[in-house]
Amino acid sequence: MTSFDLTRIHRETSLRHVEYHDSVASTNQLANELLPDLQSLCPALVLAATQTAGRGRGTNSWWSSTGALTFSLVIDPAELLLTSERLPLTSLAVGVAVRRVLAVMVPSGVISVKWPNDILLNEHKVCGILTEQQAVNRRPLVIIGVGINANNALDGAPDDVRQRATSLFDVTGDSVDLTVLLITVVKEIEIAVAELSAASDTLLAELNRHSLLNGRVVTVQTGNDRRRGVCRGINESGELLLQTDGGLESLISGTVMEW
């Protein structure tokens, strides 16, 4: 018996296929394995009640337990008129979408986007995003992995996770309907991706308005190098602007170590 209303998900979204499992290692991993079948079914969803080996960026893992919302959305950029120049902004656009939803759900909380792929609630991680681009028969597809700490209290999480993360339940004390949350997030992602395709200045402005790092002294790990400086925002290419002793630098990727 699934905790999700799959019929309602089909009815209230534009998804052409929903692949549901009670438990998977990683929804992104499964989406990758299913890509040859999903390429003609975009937008498609891979959904799991429990994810046992979720992945973050690089070698990072994503801890989750029962009650979290974990899914991967497979989209075809060509169908959505999303150009190759705009693709690097997909993860940030999804971050804006999730932030919009959570801001309505927790109006008393401070919801922010942390470049390049996290959503924070009161400066504790509540959502992680992992986007991957793969080609099937030379056709590029994008997998958008989303993990939201929803009904999963973090009192049973490892110490390091409890120190830096939170959940909607831990903050509000209330459980949410995961089906409703999923439908709302998927719809908002569709809106944000459409704004991204249209090169909307509003999306970038909203991103910078709610960027956690703006104006802060941050340390960013890029490969074997570390950069330290004041964050001056995110540009139209999705790069982090860092004012260092050597001038203004733009970082296309990296891990924020300190902020």
Side-chain angles (χ1 to χ4, degrees):
M1 180 71 177
T2 173
S3 56
F4 293 94
D5 186 338
L6 301 181
T7 300
R8 183 176 179 183
I9 293 169
H10 275 288
R11 184 177 66 246
E12 297 186 18
T13 69
S14 62
L15 295 168
R16 297 174 63 192
H17 177 74
V18 176
E19 180 80 21
Y20 174 78
H21 295 267
D22 288 332
S23 178
V24 299
S26 159
T27 58
N28 264 35
Q29 177 183 318
L30 182 56
N32 268 290
E33 295 170 358
L34 295 174
L35 272 188
D37 298 322
L38 297 179
Q39 64 173 324
S40 61
L41 298 172
C42 294
L45 188 76
V46 177
L47 174 65
T50 303
Q51 186 172 243
T52 60
R55 295 186 292 121
R57 295 175 65 248
T59 59
N60 294 336
S61 60
W62 168 261
W63 182 89
S64 67
S65 61
T66 301
L69 176 61
T70 54
F71 67 88
S72 294
L73 180 65
V74 182
I75 63 172
D76 183 340
E79 286 186 358
L80 301 175
L81 304 179
L82 190 58
T83 65
S84 58
E85 291 78 17
R86 307 297 288 173
L87 273 178
L89 278 161
T90 302
S91 183
L92 291 168
V94 172
V96 170
V98 174
R99 192 215 157 267
R100 290 171 177 171
V101 174
L102 299 189
V104 173
M105 296 179 63
V106 193
S108 62
V110 178
I111 319 290
S112 51
V113 180
K114 176 173 168 282
W115 182 92
N117 64 330
D118 290 338
I119 308 301
L120 276 66
L121 169 54
N122 298 336
E123 301 212 4
H124 287 75
K125 184 173 178 178
V126 71
C127 172
I129 298 162
L130 177 63
T131 58
E132 301 177 273
Q133 184 177 344
Q134 302 289 352
V136 178
N137 298 324
R138 298 184 180 180
R139 177 183 176 184
L141 300 174
V142 176
I143 301 171
I144 302 168
V146 177
I148 300 175
N149 289 328
N151 296 334
N152 52 321
L154 270 68
D155 52 5
D159 289 343
D160 63 324
V161 174
R162 288 204 311 273
Q163 291 172 9
R164 58 185 171 83
T166 190
S167 72
L168 298 178
F169 179 83
D170 284 336
V171 171
T172 67
D174 297 321
S175 296
V176 300
D177 186 318
L178 292 180
T179 295
V180 173
L181 178 59
L182 172 65
I183 291 170
T184 307
V185 170
V186 167
K187 286 182 174 180
E188 204 62 57
I189 289 175
E190 291 177 341
I191 293 171
V193 171
E195 291 174 324
L196 182 59
S197 299
S200 168
D201 292 335
T202 303
L203 183 69
L204 182 62
E206 183 176 351
L207 173 62
N208 274 295
R209 190 164 61 250
H210 297 291
S211 171
L212 175 78
L213 305 179
N214 283 6
R216 298 193 182 193
V217 177
V218 301
T219 301
V220 184
Q221 183 82 34
T222 57
N224 295 324
D225 298 326
R226 284 200 175 191
R227 296 284 190 271
R228 184 173 175 82
V230 178
C231 175
R232 297 303 186 195
I234 300 166
N235 67 15
E236 63 277 0
S237 298
E239 298 168 332
L240 189 75
L241 300 177
L242 201 63
Q243 186 71 53
T244 69
D245 292 339
L248 187 64
E249 300 184 27
S250 57
L251 307 179
I252 192 170
S253 64
T255 301
V256 179
M257 308 299 293
E258 298 173 350
W259 68 90

